[in-house]
Amino acid sequence: MLRPFAIAWIELKRFGADRGAVAFGIALPIALFALMYGVFGQGASFSATASVVDLDGGPVAAELIDRLSAFDGLGVEILTEAEADQALDRSHILTAVFIPAGFSESLEAGEPASVLFKRRGSGGDTGQIVSQIVHGVAQDIAAEFEIRELVRSRLEGSGVPEAQIVATVGDLMEQAGVASAIAVESRAVGVEEDALDRLIPGVLTMFLMFAATISAASIIVERNAGTLERLLTTRLSVNQLFAGKFLASVGRAMVQALILLSLAFAILRVGDAATFARVVAFSLLIAAAVSSLGLVVAGMARTQEQATWGSVFLTMTLTVFSGTFISVGETGVLAFLSRLTLNKYAIDAIGDMLTGSGGLAGQGPEAAILGGIAVVGFVVARVAFRTA
């Protein structure tokens, strides 16, 4: 009863000792993950530095600098006037913000004040964005002083202390900034809401396919060398030998799945521990389905080259027509062809679990289809399995 598991364990140890197989089966998924992390892990957040020259030195200028420093993704670099002019001349910076002398005094007196922007050419895209940010923050500060002056003029002679006016206006402005009356909603049109939610299942399924189907070539090598036939001279039966090869293929695929999923969940933070467990459990079903297909290829191929090319052809065909990395929609020829591949059901199920829209129990139809493929493929592969 335990002999198939012993065969599978020996196969996995051989896999670990084969540097080429390890490089393809483990190093390649890690390298691909590193590429995914470089593209998606850093996000698309804005990051820039505002070069500021403070010629005023007053409290309002200091408040403007503090608010710019607190702006998400914006850093502040304080320069002297000479340093800023020299950096602009040498194109070390493309935009500099000058807070002129008297800036604080003018705003505190209820008079208009200005901020000067010096640019090298157009200032570049980043420089123009920084200028708009500085302009917006300065306008907010100016609006506070303007409102404070209007309230002071309306309450003149009422005996309300100046400190109370300043504190009340500041509190109301802060509340208005936090609780905006307008909510802004962004919707992606023509693209996936989160590319990782589709890319991770696609990459996982593709590598499980490669791991399971490429192992078909090793069976051809053992058959041609007479290894399989000699094993039958022991107490092993053909069924036990076949079951051991199937379990070995599933185990090899799961090694790759665990590596790729562990990296994705740990670094990209695509889900919690419960989601990780659900995805790993479902990956076991995918590994069984693709392993049965790999054994079908091994049973039909006559040479190692036929097994290798048959595996690559099967993997790439299912990957392309299933819409592995891009959505093919629900209607049309590509949508119809995708329903004929196991990749679609694997990707849909794992994608639902990653987005939180469905748990493991909610993947009944997909699990049934993949389970059916695993059973039918297992039976067909056993019929086609030959030891000599």
Side-chain angles (χ1 to χ4, degrees):
M1 187 65 182
L2 297 178
R3 290 170 187 169
F5 292 96
I7 294 174
W9 176 243
I10 293 173
E11 290 285 337
L12 289 177
K13 289 196 297 184
R14 289 174 55 191
F15 169 69
D18 188 343
R19 295 183 179 180
V22 170
F24 180 82
I26 297 178
L28 185 58
I30 293 176
L32 185 58
F33 169 80
L35 178 61
M36 290 166 54
Y37 179 69
V39 175
F40 297 100
Q42 306 298 327
S45 58
F46 173 76
S47 178
T49 300
S51 301
V52 179
V53 178
D54 184 9
L55 300 177
D56 178 68
V60 183
E63 183 178 357
L64 173 59
I65 294 173
D66 289 342
R67 292 196 187 185
L68 291 176
S69 300
F71 197 91
D72 187 24
L74 184 66
V76 176
E77 178 187 21
I78 304 298
L79 302 175
T80 64
E81 186 174 13
E83 289 173 341
D85 289 337
Q86 186 178 30
L88 287 169
D89 289 340
R90 296 181 177 181
S91 298
H92 292 168
I93 61 174
L94 299 180
T95 302
V97 182
F98 288 77
I99 304 176
F103 178 79
S104 299
E105 184 179 351
S106 297
L107 286 178
E108 289 174 341
E111 299 176 358
S114 61
V115 176
L116 174 64
F117 296 96
K118 287 186 179 181
R119 297 190 178 96
R120 182 78 176 180
S122 64
D125 293 338
T126 302
Q128 294 178 27
I129 294 174
V130 170
S131 299
Q132 292 299 320
I133 293 173
V134 175
H135 182 267
V137 173
Q139 288 282 13
D140 291 342
I141 295 176
E144 291 182 24
F145 280 96
E146 185 178 353
I147 293 174
R148 189 185 306 172
E149 185 63 26
L150 290 174
V151 173
R152 184 188 294 112
S153 63
R154 294 293 180 88
L155 296 179
E156 188 175 357
S158 63
V160 179
E162 173 73 15
Q164 184 177 351
I165 294 176
V166 173
T168 302
V169 171
D171 291 341
L172 292 175
M173 291 294 294
E174 184 177 355
Q175 293 176 14
V178 172
S180 177
I182 300 177
V184 179
E185 179 182 359
S186 299
R187 293 184 179 180
V189 178
V191 297
E192 297 292 327
E193 289 288 341
D194 189 346
L196 281 177
D197 291 338
R198 186 167 193 91
L199 184 61
I200 289 177
V203 171
L204 173 65
T205 305
M206 185 178 69
F207 271 102
L208 288 180
M209 286 287 299
F210 267 122
T213 56
I214 290 298
S215 62
S218 64
I219 296 179
I220 304 298
V221 173
E222 292 179 343
R223 180 196 299 160
N224 293 340
T227 304
L228 298 181
E229 196 171 13
R230 285 195 296 271
L231 286 173
L232 294 181
T233 61
T234 66
R235 289 182 294 175
L236 275 176
S237 67
V238 177
N239 289 335
Q240 290 174 336
L241 179 59
F242 175 78
K245 292 296 184 180
F246 175 77
L247 292 174
S249 179
V250 173
R252 185 181 302 182
M254 287 306 299
V255 168
Q256 288 185 300
L258 286 171
I259 292 173
L260 195 58
L261 289 174
S262 297
L263 291 172
F265 276 78
I267 300 180
L268 294 180
R269 302 184 183 277
V270 295
D272 54 15
T275 304
F276 175 80
R278 289 193 291 267
V279 174
V280 170
F282 199 85
S283 298
L284 183 60
L285 181 58
I286 303 173
V290 298
S291 294
S292 66
L293 295 182
L295 290 175
V296 170
V297 173
M300 294 182 174
R302 295 292 185 272
T303 64
Q304 183 179 359
E305 290 75 15
Q306 289 178 358
T308 300
W309 284 109
S311 301
V312 172
F313 177 79
L314 178 63
T315 300
M316 298 311 299
T317 299
L318 294 180
T319 299
V320 170
F321 288 104
S322 64
T324 297
F325 301 113
I326 58 173
S327 177
V328 295
E330 298 297 329
T331 59
V333 176
L334 289 179
F336 172 77
L337 292 175
S338 69
R339 296 186 182 95
L340 303 179
T341 67
L342 65 85
N343 302 52
K344 170 181 169 54
Y345 307 103
I347 293 169
D348 288 348
I350 296 179
D352 287 344
M353 287 186 278
L354 289 179
T355 58
S357 58
L360 189 60
Q363 311 306 323
E366 289 81 3
I369 292 172
L370 291 173
I373 293 174
V375 171
V376 173
F378 185 89
V379 172
V380 173
R382 174 61 189 90
V383 172
F385 184 71
R386 301 185 310 281
T387 59

